[in-house]
Amino acid sequence: MFEPVRENPYPDSHVLGEGAEPHPLLGPVLPLLGRWHGRGRGQYPTLPQDFTYEQEITFSHDGRPFLRYEARAWLTDGAGQAVRPAGRESGWWRVTPDASLEVVLAHPTGIVETYVGRVSGTGFEIETGSVGLTPLAKEVTGTRRRYTVDAGEMTVVHDMAAVGQPLTHHLTTHLRKRAS
């Protein structure tokens, strides 16, 4: 017989003061903690036109020295109505003792990226260290992301080198922190 399943004793928390205390190494990235929602605009030289989207991003922790990251987006039309699912990714942000960042992100399209970066106040810049691709994945050779957090708002700027193009601006998203 199976024993009764217990509730997870170490749930993730995205709100300070709820759940486990954040690990001391997380101090520099605590401004990222939370659930964020907003709108963005995208472009790329290989696309026929610019596009708009909405995005949700969640940063949470379980008391250990890393953040869990999840993001999902959906395309919107000119009236702001949802059209179809778009990008989705999940991963981990790790902070080293010197406030360097090590990030691992996986995409359902067969792309896995490792990033390295630094914290600068309420700004976080990461750049790919390596990109792994499954056989059918789109060619991506590098990316750079800049996250800026100020007064409950987050801006994310994403540059990408892919499908024969050099590192080029791809996405800009403006998000607001959601109440839990």
Side-chain angles (χ1 to χ4, degrees):
M1 293 300 255
F2 290 105
E3 301 252 344
V5 177
R6 289 185 280 169
E7 197 166 312
N8 180 353
Y10 306 104
D12 283 356
S13 176
H14 61 277
V15 177
L16 284 176
E18 291 183 12
E21 284 295 312
H23 191 281
L25 285 177
L26 292 181
V29 295
L30 288 179
L32 295 168
L33 199 62
R35 291 185 173 150
W36 303 84
H37 182 264
R39 293 191 169 106
R41 184 165 205 81
Q43 60 195 37
Y44 206 68
T46 59
L47 297 176
Q49 62 188 19
D50 293 0
F51 58 93
T52 57
Y53 60 94
E54 288 189 39
Q55 185 172 37
E56 292 178 341
I57 297 176
T58 302
F59 284 95
S60 59
H61 74 93
D62 66 2
R64 292 182 285 172
F66 51 80
L67 293 179
R68 181 176 180 271
Y69 167 87
E70 184 171 4
R72 60 191 315 169
W74 52 96
L75 296 178
T76 56
D77 62 19
Q81 297 299 307
V83 174
R84 67 175 173 82
R88 191 161 186 180
E89 58 193 18
S90 62
W92 308 96
W93 287 53
R94 189 164 57 175
V95 183
T96 66
D98 70 351
S100 296
L101 298 172
E102 298 178 345
V103 178
V104 178
L105 298 181
H107 306 258
T109 55
I111 300 167
V112 176
E113 301 161 305
T114 64
Y115 290 84
V116 292
R118 297 232 21 110
V119 177
S120 177
T122 58
F124 312 86
E125 185 163 335
I126 57 175
E127 192 164 338
T128 48
S130 65
V131 178
L133 305 171
T134 61
L136 297 179
K138 172 179 70 175
E139 177 208 22
V140 174
T141 55
T143 63
R144 177 177 54 219
R145 298 177 187 215
R146 291 175 303 282
Y147 296 74
T148 306
V149 178
D150 185 33
E153 295 186 13
M154 178 190 298
T155 300
V156 181
V157 177
H158 184 171
D159 303 326
M160 180 173 69
V163 293
Q165 300 296 313
L167 194 64
T168 303
H169 176 69
H170 180 40
L171 305 168
T172 299
T173 315
H174 301 283
L175 307 108
R176 288 187 174 273
K177 189 175 266 192
R178 291 193 129 162
S180 55

